[in-house]
């Protein structure tokens, strides 16, 4: 029986965290919430749900929170890591699809369809980054910026990232390409509750420059 | 001449700030001496621009102001580069410390 750990990075998500944990618990009892230095009661709410919760004393960024969660999962001898956002953007009921596909690959990426539901700036930025990812790292995905992903712990050890911020999603892909890991993608449903959240055009530009740097770094 | 006076006053203010940081123990003696030397060299060059005429000639720069603007930009670029590197290192160290604290609890 494989040990599945679900990692939820959270920053100021006191309104959503309990619901996300509640729905996620149906798929694994091993849930790690990493509170990335929230100023609200995110950490207390997560603790109250009786799951593993750790807190960064300062806000570092999503990449750092994911890494803390993954490192903790490794300590707990995890076999599979699933990453899901804390803002109810992802549907926990799709976790079994990730796990199913993970038998044939090292990493499974959740991809959002670029429909009209996706805010225009996301659609545009995502399209550019997706093409750049394919060109620079040979990884063909429909969406490079979704945080809904699953991987084996062995794969995680090979693609440990250094990005502390939103670049993490792209660095994961870059490392998968460079390490020639087996990957696959599944289409996921996404709910956009807060259109102002997520990657801004400035972040997008930074990610594009980071990608060039990762390629040059080899 | 007015520009030179303005530049010297500006550099003297920077010496004062460096001294103040040293007195507040925000700078070590090493930092203070480094910045003091930088400002003194700048005051010397601004007061006696003829000392750089040789360099200007070999670089084919006609006006003294142009030389100082170019030199200033180069200095700033170096400072920004070092600052960037330093900040990245600090960020990395902070990340390690914050993670260690989180996982220790």
């Amino acid at each position: 029986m494989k040990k599945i750990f679900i990692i939820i990075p959270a920053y100021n998500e006191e309104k959503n965290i309990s619901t996300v944990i509640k729905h996620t618990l149906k798929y694994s009892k091993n849930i790690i919430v990493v509170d990335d230095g929230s100023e609200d009661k995110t950490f207390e709410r997560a603790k109250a749900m009786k799951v593993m919760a750790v807190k960064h004393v300062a806000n570092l960024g999503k990449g750092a929170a994911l890494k803390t969660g993954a490192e903790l999962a490794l300590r707990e001898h995890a076999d599979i890591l699933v990453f899901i956002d804390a803002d109810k953007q992802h549907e926990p009921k799709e976790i079994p699809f990730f796990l199913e596909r993970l038998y044939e690959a090292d990493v499974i990426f959740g991809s959002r369809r670029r429909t009209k539901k996706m805010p225009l700036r996301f659609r545009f930025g995502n399209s550019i980054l997706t093409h750049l990812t394919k060109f620079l790292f040979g990884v063909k995905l429909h969406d490079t910026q979704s945080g809904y992903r699953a991987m084996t712990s062995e794969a995680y050890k090979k693609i440990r990232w250094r990005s502390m911020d939103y670049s993490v999603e792209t660095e994961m892909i870059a490392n998968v390409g460079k390490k020639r890991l087996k990957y696959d993608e599944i289409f996921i449903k996404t709910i956009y509750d807060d259109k102002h959240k997520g990657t801004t055009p400035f972040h997008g530009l930074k990610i594009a420059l980071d990608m060039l740097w990762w390629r040059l770094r080899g | 001449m007015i520009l030179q006076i303005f530049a010297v006053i500006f550099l003297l203010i920077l010496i004062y700030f460096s001294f103040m940081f040293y007195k507040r123990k925000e700078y070590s003696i090493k930092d203070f001496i480094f910045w003091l030397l930088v400002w003194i060299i700048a005051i010397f060059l601004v007061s006696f621009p003829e000392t750089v005429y040789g360099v200007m000639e070999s670089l084919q720069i006609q006006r003294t102001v142009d030389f100082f603007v170019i030199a200033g930009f180069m200095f700033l670029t170096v400072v920004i580069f070092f600052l960037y590197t330093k900040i990245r290192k600090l960020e990395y160290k902070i990340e390690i410390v914050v993670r260690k604290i989180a996982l220790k609890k």
Side-chain angles (χ1 to χ4, degrees), chain B residues 8-75:
Chain B
V8 170
I9 292 170
F10 178 68
L11 290 163
L12 285 172
I13 292 170
L14 290 178
I15 289 181
Y16 167 71
F17 274 118
S18 304
F19 180 68
M20 209 172 67
F21 290 144
Y22 169 62
K23 275 292 177 192
R24 283 183 186 173
K25 296 194 166 60
E26 285 165 18
Y27 274 4
S28 66
I29 183 78
K30 205 174 109 190
D31 294 328
F32 175 60
I33 291 171
F34 170 77
W35 286 110
L36 189 66
L37 281 174
V38 169
W39 308 137
I40 287 173
I41 291 167
I43 290 175
F44 177 80
L45 294 176
V46 169
S47 308
F48 306 102
E50 55 275 14
T51 48
V52 296
Y53 284 175
V55 185
M56 280 169 58
E57 218 175 279
S58 56
L59 293 173
Q60 294 181 333
I61 297 169
Q62 303 289 320
R63 297 189 311 164
T64 321
V65 173
D66 291 346
F67 172 80
F68 281 110
V69 169
I70 293 166
F73 266 113
M74 283 170 72
F75 179 70

Side-chain angles (χ1 to χ4, degrees), chain A residues 54-58 60 63-64 67-68 71-72 75 162 164, chain B residues 88 91-92 94-105:
Chain A
V54 290
K55 181 167 181 154
H56 284 167
V57 289
L60 293 179
K67 198 170 171 182
T68 300
E71 293 298 325
L72 180 55
R75 276 195 199 178
R162 288 195 69 170
M164 292 206 289
Chain B
R88 288 309 292 255
E91 271 184 346
Y92 187 57
I94 290 169
E95 186 193 357
I96 291 169
V97 172
V98 170
R99 181 165 299 122
K100 269 191 180 165
I101 295 169
L103 296 180
K104 214 174 175 181
K105 281 180 183 171

Side-chain angles (χ1 to χ4, degrees), chain A residues 137-191:
Chain A
F137 306 104
V139 179
K140 202 176 161 192
L141 293 170
H142 286 83
D143 174 18
T144 57
Q145 300 307 302
S146 160
Y148 205 175
R149 291 166 182 193
M151 63 185 72
T152 62
S153 54
E154 289 311 309
Y156 167 71
K157 285 178 197 164
K158 288 178 189 162
I159 63 160
R160 271 193 181 99
W161 47 89
R162 288 195 69 170
S163 299
M164 292 206 289
D165 54 13
Y166 276 108
S167 307
V168 63
E169 265 95 23
T170 323
E171 192 184 348
M172 272 189 210
I173 302 171
N175 293 347
V176 164
K178 286 198 282 188
K179 298 284 175 187
R180 296 179 189 280
L181 297 182
K182 270 202 240 169
Y183 68 92
D184 202 351
E185 74 175 331
I186 57 171
F187 285 105
I188 54 161
K189 224 174 120 183
T190 310
I191 304 119

